[in-house]
Amino acid sequence: MLHIVACIKQVPDTKIIKMNPKTNTMDRASAPAILNPYDAHAVEEAVRLKQRYGGTVSVLTMGPPPAVKAIRKCIEIGADEGYMISDRAFAGADTLATSYALTKALNKIAKERPIDLIICGKMTIDGDTGQVGPGIARRLDIPPLTSVKKIVEIDKEKGIAILHRKLEDGYEVVSSTMPCLFSVEKDINEVPYSTMPNMLRAARYNPHIWSVNDLEDVDKAQLGLKGSPTIVSSVWAPQKPQGGQMLDGKAADQVSQLLGIMLEKKELFQVKGESTS
Amino acid sequence: MSFEDYRGVWVFMEVKDGAIVPVAKELLGAGRQLADKRKTELAGVLIGDGVSALAEEAIYYGADQVYVYDAPIFKHYRTETYMRALLACTEKYKPEIILYGATSTGKDLASAVATDLPTGLTADTTQLDVEEDTGLLLASRPAFGGNIMATILCKKYRPQMATVRPKVVRALPRDASRIGTITRESIELREEDVRTKVLEIVRQTVQRVRIDEADIIVAGGKGLGSPAGFQLIHEFADVIGAAVGASRDVVEAGWIGHHHQVGQTGVTVTPKIYFAIGISGAIQHIVGMQNSGLIIAINKDPGALIFQSCHYGIVGDAFEIVPMLIEQFKHALGKESSYARKV
Amino acid sequence: MPEKFDCIVVGAGPAGIACAYELAKAGVNVLLLERGEYPGSKNVMGGVLYRQMMEDVIPEFYKEAPLERPIVEQRFMMMDKESALTFGYKGLEWAREPYNNFTVLRAKFDQWFAGKAVEQGALLINETVALSCIVENGKVVGVQTDRPDGQLYADVVVLADGVNSLLAKSLGFHREFKPDEVALATMEILKLDKKVIEDRFNLEEGQGCTIELFGDATKGILGTGFLYTNKDTLSLGVGTLLSGMIKHKLKPHHLLDYVKNHPMIRPFVQGAESQEYLAHLIPEGGYHSMPKVVGDGVLVVGDAAQLVNAIHREGSNMAMTSGRLAAETIVLAKQAGDFSEAFLDRYRKELMGSFVGEDLKKYKDSTHHFDKFPQYFEQYIPMMNRAASQMFTVDGTSKREKQKKIWRDIGSAKEKVKIARDMYRAWKVMK
């Protein structure tokens, strides 16, 4: 029986987020909060492993109280339990402070039920970093395996997982000791339309919610904004384009002008010629 | 230990198929500028099996110093082994800055190293600078879908780390007369202690030209009218050895597959030359190609937004202009065979 | 084993939510199904929330609900091509508790309202389409949804699934609409600075104004338009009978673009950023096209029951009242253990005895009347504008002379008789 934990996040839907054209900033209120699409694949993969090998799927998130919705979404996909850490102390965390807080929560979950496998999505659509998963693995001192596109076999008795990692031009077959952490690619699976029994269970489900004081051995200096080495010093709009130089005249003139310019910029091509040599 | 003990700019020299990957050379170019500004050393860290010969290449592209970990245990990239090597090296020499290409390997390694050190890590940087006196790395990246930029700092930890997107900075020309120091390093690491094994590598050849790696892209938009009209783009691209790109509406209309889509929801590209033909120039497209070396726009509508974001613009009918361009290029390419790389 | 509920409400719009809220409050085990991502996400119209009917469900809701602005002024604009005759009422008694009406954005408001129903104990399931009613021995016993293992059972099913109610059709309660029974409404939400809105509409901070548009707003086709002030957006919409659009070969967005650029409207909306574009069918058939609303184990409420007063653009208030009345009957049915058509018919009687039924009967011929006699929109509104222009233009002509000119403008004696007859007819159907 496996215990798989998927780490998930609620994010603003950047596909439909509206920008304030004057300030060039994101109108966060305009974007509905959704389960990070990559994480849906992580949860789905955990559910599939549960169906294959038996066990329990838990999900863990850090976020403000409304993030309960993202946990319910995971229950719809088929997760059994949901855990959320929610506290002002966690606010403003960068990837390092996030992986610290999540690790503390994972330790607490593992005390109740030891964890065999942790699955994360490739990255979040709001942060775009993909750094939290490997960070958690390092803190727990278990192997991080990123770019996972297929899980071939999980053998809990032998403590071995075999999987495919995506490469730029193919994939590699890797074995790892367990427990370990996977960051999965989007194409690892398709998330199917949830069943009605799962929908009903999710609508009634209340996750376990922990504040910072519910966690053990926490060094508060490593949490939230205080515990984040990186800070955003400034946000600025990229320079507005100046507008191009227009090539006038009849079509034939325009074409010959353009050709002239291209030949002037011949060095653009030669740089490439050298760098590939 | 104070920040003064941390000196030097490092670049992780990712190796693939026996060669240094292009982004690592680009980072040597960018790292050179940072190191010069700080009046410090630029070093490459080279990890692999049988990679010693590549150390000189790193010097030719700008490194003063190369640390080499060459051992069979490093045959394939594995987070655990590479991380141990890099952590040991960092511990020993204490760099101020470490840059990684934002490839899957670079990002994987950087995430692990940052956690262990621990230090801050900025992902997918597109602009780099350093404060001359303090050594503070100014790592900027597009945020929130690319409409605004955020500059990210790591004030209280050293080394400072960033992954940098391929093709946003320039490599220096290769200079075989450059000299530098090559230092061999090693760490105690036994295969039986490593928890992951690479059992097999399966290559799947990809036929199509990847638009994110192409030097020249010819991209078409809804202005071409129909899938038949879009053939003109393929034809032109064939002649000049370019990859084919497309705007979102064209992809959504099914004229061409999704992997050709340039823009916020598609691929970000930085070719040397970008042709935008029949593309109106919506913001979401512009953010995906604005860093191209030379942008040429052809559109019937003089008011098209694309003309604000191009270097040269032609107001005209693509079906008149492009066939002429094809003829002219064929002619020019006959004489200047090095003009464009055949793919 | 599929679950069985006391009641399933299909559709989380104003009618469905009000019904589920009342049921849950009375301790009925109720499931509320919504096809959109969340309640309100697929909801378009409205824009005006009627305080009284909402308070019948949640007293003093205005203290916490996400409302846009209390309406202190209602204007009516009779528009010609480059003129408009405007009248209206502004009263500051509407700016104070308990207020009169409010502008709302349905996406926000319905989400809040559904949340209240969930607080009372209703179970809400989003992103799920109810495909048909499950009927056993002539009695509705549940619904079939589009999800795997998607059957749900209940003693009674409430159909609140909107104007084009799939489920009412599946039961044969509804026939397909005729084009003159539905209006196609399109609406744009336009972003504008709070302060600018208040300046342009002459409002104190936080107050709201609605403008109903007639005549050239719809290019003279039978229909209306509206311009409502929200917190930091405007809602601009037009709706005409589908039959009128077909006849004039117009696309919905053409009309919206037309009114947006109309010289009488442009100054209000200039510089506003388009935020959302929505289109929706509104039942306008009224009393005559009301379907069967009660069956064995089933009730129909809201738009699904065609409960809209086309003349006064009132739909959400009728919807909420019908939902509330349906809930009352279901609570009694549960006590009696009787969900037969005969017992549930109490809902129909209550509905027809309420303001909903009264208003529907009163205006039952109105839409058809105006549709049959296009001159109201095509001729009379421009005529009124010319008359007003004559009257108010200061050009040295005496008022007496002006009145003569206006009278001449109306046309021949025969025309005058016709107008008088039309006005009488209009008064008769409206009164």
Side-chain angles (χ1 to χ4, degrees):
Chain A
M1 298 290 271
L2 293 171
H3 183 205
I4 308 166
V5 180
C7 295
I8 61 124
K9 187 185 179 191
Q10 189 179 50
V11 297
D13 191 348
T14 48
K15 273 201 311 293
I16 46 177
I17 202 157
K18 285 161 195 144
M19 300 299 293
N20 180 333
K22 281 195 198 109
T23 57
N24 226 354
T25 54
M26 191 165 63
D27 181 6
R28 268 187 184 266
S30 76
I34 56 167
L35 171 65
N36 176 38
Y38 290 97
D39 297 345
H41 296 278
V43 177
E44 172 64 18
E45 197 57 26
V47 170
R48 287 182 190 204
L49 290 176
K50 177 182 97 169
Q51 283 161 356
R52 232 160 103 189
Y53 299 106
T56 307
V57 173
S58 303
V59 296
L60 168 64
T61 193
M62 176 171 96
V68 167
K69 258 180 72 185
I71 289 186
R72 291 217 172 93
K73 194 83 199 173
C74 299
I75 305 284
E76 288 176 12
I77 296 171
D80 301 294
E81 294 293 336
Y83 298 86
M84 175 159 113
I85 53 171
S86 191
D87 200 302
R88 286 183 155 233
F90 302 132
D94 72 354
T95 56
L96 196 76
T98 301
S99 69
Y100 180 77
L102 289 174
T103 301
K104 293 298 169 191
L106 286 163
N107 284 336
K108 187 172 164 89
I109 294 171
K111 258 191 173 173
E112 292 174 7
R113 189 186 280 139
I115 299 167
D116 300 295
L117 199 58
I118 299 170
I119 307 186
C120 300
K122 182 190 177 71
M123 59 182 179
T124 59
I125 58 169
D126 63 340
D128 268 352
T129 70
Q131 289 169 189
V132 173
I136 291 170
R138 284 309 312 143
R139 289 180 182 281
L140 292 170
D141 194 22
I142 60 174
L145 294 138
T146 55
S147 310
V148 174
K149 57 168 239 167
K150 184 178 177 181
I151 296 171
V152 181
E153 201 192 339
I154 300 286
D155 189 334
K156 191 178 171 178
E157 301 244 305
K158 288 189 194 147
I160 292 287
I162 297 175
L163 54 123
H164 291 177
R165 282 188 75 228
K166 191 177 190 170
L167 302 174
E168 266 91 8
D169 53 356
Y171 62 91
E172 60 182 19
V173 186
V174 178
S175 77
S176 170
T177 58
M178 285 168 59
C180 53
L181 180 142
F182 298 155
S183 296
V184 298
E185 295 287 314
K186 228 174 173 169
D187 51 11
I188 192 167
N189 58 42
E190 295 251 331
V191 182
Y193 199 42
S194 301
T195 64
M196 183 51 77
N198 279 1
M199 295 299 290
L200 293 171
R201 199 176 111 70
R204 294 181 174 122
Y205 187 77
N206 288 313
H208 312 264
I209 300 174
W210 293 331
S211 73
V212 67
N213 294 326
D214 295 319
L215 304 177
E216 289 166 24
D217 297 329
V218 176
D219 170 12
K220 288 192 180 171
Q222 294 193 51
L223 293 175
L225 197 59
K226 256 193 312 195
S228 299
T230 59
I231 53 160
V232 176
S233 80
S234 61
V235 173
W236 42 280
Q239 229 178 347
K240 282 259 176 195
Q242 302 290 310
Q245 182 186 332
M246 302 307 289
L247 307 177
D248 298 326
K250 289 216 176 84
D253 300 334
Q254 292 173 320
V255 169
S256 71
Q257 283 179 66
L258 181 56
L259 211 67
I261 291 157
M262 309 283 301
L263 291 172
E264 263 174 42
K265 304 255 170 182
K266 214 160 55 169
E267 83 285 353
L268 283 175
F269 299 86
Q270 288 168 345
V271 169
K272 174 69 188 184
E274 270 174 42
S275 68
T276 48
S277 64
Chain B
M1 178 155 298
S2 77
F3 281 8
E4 275 72 58
D5 300 322
Y6 289 85
R7 296 291 287 164
V9 177
W10 284 13
V11 173
F12 167 62
M13 307 303 300
E14 184 180 343
V15 174
K16 202 180 158 221
D17 299 332
I20 294 170
V21 300
V23 65
K25 295 176 188 171
E26 291 160 19
L27 291 186
L28 286 175
R32 184 72 265 162
Q33 288 181 10
L34 302 182
D36 289 348
K37 212 164 163 185
R38 285 288 287 155
K39 301 185 181 61
T40 179
E41 192 180 74
L42 175 66
V45 182
L46 189 57
I47 307 170
D49 180 20
V51 293
S52 296
L54 297 173
E56 291 189 337
E57 280 297 311
I59 292 169
Y60 299 160
Y61 279 99
D64 304 310
Q65 166 72 258
V66 185
Y67 302 107
V68 184
Y69 291 82
D70 194 342
I73 204 165
F74 300 122
K75 182 166 193 276
H76 299 295
Y77 171 75
R78 285 179 291 178
T79 319
E80 264 185 302
T81 53
Y82 277 53
M83 176 193 81
R84 296 271 170 236
L86 190 52
L87 282 170
C89 203
T90 305
E91 177 85 354
K92 195 165 163 188
Y93 298 106
K94 297 184 176 50
E96 189 169 46
I97 292 168
I98 310 179
L99 304 176
Y100 307 75
T103 60
S104 51
T105 295
K107 292 172 92 164
D108 182 289
L109 179 62
S111 304
V113 170
T115 312
D116 272 54
L117 279 171
T119 190
L121 170 62
T122 304
D124 292 295
T125 308
T126 59
Q127 283 182 36
L128 290 168
D129 201 355
V130 70
E131 279 183 15
E132 214 174 311
D133 46 347
T134 62
L136 198 60
L137 180 70
L138 312 172
S140 303
R141 57 167 299 186
F144 313 135
N147 275 333
I148 57 171
M149 296 287 289
T151 301
I152 293 162
L153 309 179
C154 174
K155 283 185 171 165
K156 295 181 188 158
Y157 294 77
R158 291 291 180 273
Q160 310 165 83
M161 310 213 305
T163 61
V164 183
R165 285 192 71 122
K167 301 202 164 213
V168 298
V169 290
R170 280 271 187 95
L172 298 167
R174 183 175 185 271
D175 177 359
S177 67
R178 278 189 52 91
I179 47 167
T181 317
I182 296 170
T183 311
R184 295 187 163 276
E185 298 287 340
S186 65
I187 49 164
E188 280 288 316
L189 207 55
R190 291 181 311 170
E191 185 58 49
E192 51 271 34
D193 295 335
V194 183
R195 295 176 290 187
T196 53
K197 318 260 176 252
V198 176
L199 307 177
E200 189 189 356
I201 290 190
V202 181
R203 301 275 185 213
Q204 289 168 322
T205 42
V206 190
Q207 285 299 325
R208 61 190 159 78
V209 181
R210 292 173 47 124
I211 56 170
D212 53 342
E213 288 178 357
D215 269 349
I216 311 175
I217 293 174
V218 179
K222 219 44 190 290
L224 293 151
S226 66
F230 199 81
Q231 283 307 311
L232 188 65
I233 299 295
H234 289 286
E235 204 182 315
F236 184 32
D238 269 354
V239 170
I240 61 170
V244 172
S247 65
R248 182 167 72 182
D249 40 8
V250 160
V251 171
E252 276 173 5
W255 299 1
I256 193 166
H258 182 261
H259 53 262
H260 291 274
Q261 185 180 324
V262 173
Q264 197 174 346
T265 49
V267 182
T268 302
V269 297
T270 52
K272 303 284 176 355
I273 301 182
Y274 189 89
F275 287 94
I277 302 173
I279 291 176
S280 63
I283 289 286
Q284 70 88 21
H285 185 79
I286 302 296
V287 299
M289 45 63 88
Q290 62 195 358
N291 291 330
S292 304
L294 180 64
I295 299 169
I296 293 151
I298 302 172
N299 203 303
K300 251 195 283 201
D301 173 12
L305 282 173
I306 191 79
F307 290 126
Q308 287 176 21
S309 299
C310 69
H311 297 97
Y312 294 100
I314 290 180
V315 177
D317 182 357
F319 294 101
E320 188 182 355
I321 306 276
V322 178
M324 288 167 75
L325 269 175
I326 290 173
E327 277 315 302
Q328 296 279 336
F329 266 100
K330 272 184 183 165
H331 186 66
L333 288 175
K335 282 186 273 184
E336 309 240 354
S337 58
S338 68
Y339 193 78
R341 185 171 63 110
K342 270 282 174 209
V343 184
Chain C
M1 183 62 191
E3 275 200 56
K4 183 171 178 272
F5 295 84
D6 292 341
C7 177
I8 297 169
V9 178
V10 181
I17 301 172
C19 184
Y21 179 91
E22 294 285 356
L23 287 172
K25 203 170 131 196
V28 175
N29 180 16
V30 58
L31 176 73
L32 178 58
L33 283 179
E34 165 59 30
R35 79 191 163 106
E37 223 173 300
Y38 54 87
S41 64
K42 297 256 174 189
N43 250 322
V44 178
M45 286 308 141
V48 174
L49 179 78
Y50 300 86
R51 193 256 313 162
Q52 180 64 54
M53 292 73 193
M54 185 64 209
E55 270 206 295
D56 289 345
V57 184
I58 302 183
E60 300 201 331
F61 66 94
Y62 45 79
K63 292 196 167 149
E64 59 164 311
L67 304 166
E68 294 299 309
R69 291 168 183 267
I71 299 164
V72 301
E73 182 177 6
Q74 286 181 285
R75 297 184 209 170
F76 301 85
M77 230 187 209
M78 317 298 277
M79 292 161 64
D80 198 359
K81 291 220 171 342
E82 45 180 35
S83 62
L85 184 61
T86 305
F87 54 94
Y89 175 77
K90 183 171 186 173
L92 290 183
E93 73 278 15
W94 290 351
R96 292 186 290 271
E97 282 186 24
Y99 305 101
N100 184 30
N101 300 327
F102 302 90
T103 52
V104 291
L105 291 171
R106 289 240 79 95
K108 280 189 210 162
F109 183 82
D110 288 7
Q111 219 176 340
W112 171 84
F113 193 15
K116 296 311 265 186
V118 170
E119 269 176 32
Q120 292 294 336
L123 199 62
L124 170 67
I125 302 281
N126 293 314
E127 294 176 275
T128 302
V129 180
L131 300 170
S132 61
C133 291
I134 303 173
V135 181
E136 281 173 12
N137 304 322
K139 181 185 182 309
V140 174
V141 294
V143 294
Q144 175 67 50
T145 68
D146 63 342
R147 293 200 172 266
D149 304 323
Q151 301 90 343
L152 293 165
Y153 291 87
D155 287 329
V156 58
V157 175
V158 176
L159 310 185
D161 54 339
V163 54
N164 211 2
S165 173
L166 280 180
L167 297 196
K169 275 184 197 161
S170 83
L171 292 176
F173 286 12
H174 256 225
R175 48 180 172 72
E176 291 293 332
F177 289 116
K178 291 186 225 147
D180 62 356
E181 287 173 329
V182 275
L184 184 62
T186 51
M187 168 172 139
E188 211 171 344
I189 296 180
L190 299 158
K191 188 147 179 83
L192 202 60
D193 188 68
K194 266 187 191 129
K195 192 81 191 61
V196 175
I197 291 176
E198 282 152 10
D199 285 350
R200 288 187 187 177
F201 289 82
N202 192 26
L203 296 164
E204 301 271 357
E205 194 182 338
Q207 298 177 351
C209 165
T210 61
I211 308 180
E212 308 294 340
L213 312 172
F214 301 91
D216 199 50
T218 49
K219 288 192 157 178
I221 305 169
L222 178 59
T224 56
F226 59 87
L227 179 60
Y228 297 158
T229 56
N230 305 315
K231 267 196 186 113
D232 53 3
T233 55
L234 300 175
S235 297
L236 176 65
V238 277
T240 63
L241 283 187
L242 207 50
S243 55
M245 289 226 177
I246 295 168
K247 201 168 115 196
H248 290 80
K249 295 195 172 74
L250 277 172
K251 292 262 168 60
H253 65 266
H254 288 158
L255 268 185
L256 192 58
D257 281 347
Y258 180 77
V259 73
K260 203 170 151 186
N261 288 306
H262 194 284
M264 297 297 110
I265 299 301
R266 204 170 48 220
F268 288 118
V269 301
Q270 216 153 32
E273 194 78 26
S274 178
Q275 215 179 29
E276 232 170 310
Y277 172 83
L278 311 147
H280 191 58
L281 286 175
I282 297 178
E284 300 263 339
Y287 187 74
H288 290 296
S289 44
M290 236 178 103
K292 188 169 147 67
V293 295
V294 179
D296 269 336
V298 65
L299 298 172
V300 189
V301 299
D303 278 9
Q306 306 285 297
L307 304 179
V308 167
N309 173 350
I311 293 301
H312 291 284
R313 311 196 49 81
E314 291 176 14
S316 62
N317 56 345
M318 290 191 167
M320 282 187 292
T321 300
S322 68
R324 185 172 58 79
L325 294 175
E328 281 174 16
T329 293
I330 291 167
V331 171
L332 293 174
K334 193 188 169 193
Q335 283 163 5
D338 182 357
F339 298 95
S340 67
E341 178 170 352
F343 191 94
L344 297 178
D345 198 51
R346 182 187 175 278
Y347 158 66
R348 190 188 56 80
K349 289 187 201 119
E350 291 282 323
L351 184 69
M352 296 320 287
S354 73
F355 85 94
V356 177
E358 293 299 321
D359 281 2
L360 285 177
K361 271 180 255 171
K362 180 171 165 193
Y363 297 114
K364 66 185 183 283
D365 293 317
S366 59
T367 308
H368 293 288
H369 176 76
F370 287 113
D371 195 28
K372 253 193 338 231
F373 302 102
Q375 59 269 31
Y376 289 99
F377 277 64
E378 286 172 2
Q379 290 175 18
Y380 300 160
I381 290 176
M383 194 184 289
M384 283 159 62
N385 273 276
R386 285 198 299 275
S389 172
Q390 281 290 342
M391 228 24 221
F392 301 132
T393 305
V394 179
D395 54 5
T397 321
S398 72
K399 291 289 179 237
R400 202 182 135 84
E401 189 58 31
K402 278 178 190 279
Q403 279 165 8
K404 271 193 201 157
K405 266 175 108 173
I406 292 167
W407 192 239
R408 274 202 301 279
D409 180 53
I410 292 172
S412 66
K414 207 170 130 202
E415 269 296 303
K416 287 176 182 124
V417 172
K418 183 165 171 279
I419 291 169
R421 196 183 58 215
D422 282 349
M423 290 300 162
Y424 174 69
R425 272 208 209 108
W427 175 73
K428 244 184 81 180
V429 297
M430 298 276 290
K431 78 175 165 62

